[in-house]
Protein backbone atom coordinates (compact mmCIF):
# COMPACT_ATOMS: atom_id res chain seq x y z
CA UNK A 1 0.00 0.00 0.00
CA UNK A 2 1.21 3.50 -0.76
CA UNK A 3 1.89 5.86 2.11
CA UNK A 4 -0.77 8.54 2.56
CA UNK A 5 1.72 11.21 1.40
CA UNK A 6 1.86 9.59 -2.06
CA UNK A 7 -1.88 8.97 -2.51
CA UNK A 8 -4.17 11.23 -4.51
CA UNK A 9 -7.17 12.86 -2.88
CA UNK A 10 -10.57 12.80 -4.60
CA UNK A 11 -10.29 16.47 -5.54
CA UNK A 12 -6.88 16.06 -7.17
CA UNK A 13 -8.09 12.90 -8.96
CA UNK A 14 -11.07 14.77 -10.46
CA UNK A 15 -8.81 17.62 -11.57
CA UNK A 16 -6.34 15.20 -13.17
CA UNK A 17 -9.19 13.45 -14.98
CA UNK A 18 -10.30 16.72 -16.53
CA UNK A 19 -7.05 18.65 -17.06
CA UNK A 20 -4.43 15.88 -17.17
CA UNK A 21 -2.43 14.77 -20.18
CA UNK A 22 -3.33 11.22 -21.22
CA UNK A 23 -0.60 8.70 -21.98
CA UNK A 24 -1.55 5.15 -22.90
CA UNK A 25 -0.24 1.79 -23.98
CA UNK A 26 -1.86 -1.58 -24.53
CA UNK A 27 -1.62 -2.34 -20.79
CA UNK A 28 -2.57 0.90 -19.03
CA UNK A 29 -3.72 4.51 -19.26
CA UNK A 30 -1.93 7.22 -17.29
CA UNK A 31 -3.34 10.68 -16.66
CA UNK A 32 -0.54 13.03 -15.65
CA UNK A 33 -0.39 16.60 -14.46
CA UNK A 34 2.86 18.54 -14.13
CA UNK A 35 3.43 19.78 -10.61
CA UNK A 36 6.25 21.22 -8.53
CA UNK A 37 5.33 19.03 -5.56
CA UNK A 38 6.21 15.39 -4.93
CA UNK A 39 4.71 12.74 -7.21
CA UNK A 40 1.41 11.19 -6.15
CA UNK A 41 -0.28 8.09 -7.55
CA UNK A 42 -3.59 6.28 -7.78
CA UNK A 43 -4.19 2.84 -9.26
CA UNK A 44 -7.60 1.66 -10.42
CA UNK A 45 -8.18 -1.82 -11.82
CA UNK A 46 -11.41 -2.31 -13.73
CA UNK A 47 -13.71 -5.33 -13.60
CA UNK A 48 -12.88 -5.73 -17.30
CA UNK A 49 -9.37 -6.73 -16.24
CA UNK A 50 -10.26 -9.05 -13.34
CA UNK A 51 -13.72 -10.13 -12.19
CA UNK A 52 -12.98 -10.79 -8.53
CA UNK A 53 -11.97 -8.12 -6.02
CA UNK A 54 -9.17 -10.37 -4.79
CA UNK A 55 -7.61 -10.41 -8.27
CA UNK A 56 -8.03 -6.65 -8.74
CA UNK A 57 -6.41 -5.95 -5.36
CA UNK A 58 -3.54 -8.31 -6.18
CA UNK A 59 -2.88 -6.44 -9.43
CA UNK A 60 -3.14 -3.08 -7.65
CA UNK A 61 -0.66 -4.16 -4.96
CA UNK A 62 1.81 -5.32 -7.62
CA UNK A 63 1.60 -1.97 -9.37
CA UNK A 64 2.13 -0.16 -6.06
CA UNK A 65 5.24 -2.26 -5.42
CA UNK A 66 6.61 -1.21 -8.83
CA UNK A 67 5.92 2.47 -8.12
CA UNK A 68 7.59 2.45 -4.72
Amino acid sequence: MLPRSQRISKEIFKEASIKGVITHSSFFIAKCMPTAQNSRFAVIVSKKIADSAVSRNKIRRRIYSIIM
Side-chain angles (χ1 to χ4, degrees):
M1 186 120 182
L2 286 177
R4 187 169 295 274
S5 62
Q6 289 186 322
R7 292 188 218 159
I8 295 179
S9 66
K10 289 182 182 181
E11 294 80 24
I12 296 173
F13 185 81
K14 288 178 185 177
E15 184 179 349
S17 298
I18 296 169
K19 298 180 183 177
V21 176
I22 299 173
T23 305
H24 61 86
S25 74
S26 57
F27 297 110
F28 66 90
I29 297 172
K31 294 183 181 182
C32 306
M33 287 183 50
T35 180
Q37 300 172 355
N38 294 337
S39 297
R40 301 176 115 196
F41 302 96
V43 176
I44 300 170
V45 181
S46 168
K47 281 189 178 181
K48 291 180 183 179
I49 304 299
D51 288 334
S52 72
V54 173
S55 300
R56 290 193 302 273
N57 289 335
K58 186 175 184 180
I59 293 167
R60 189 172 50 87
R61 284 191 301 269
R62 287 181 180 177
I63 294 170
Y64 282 151
S65 69
I66 292 168
I67 290 172
M68 293 175 54

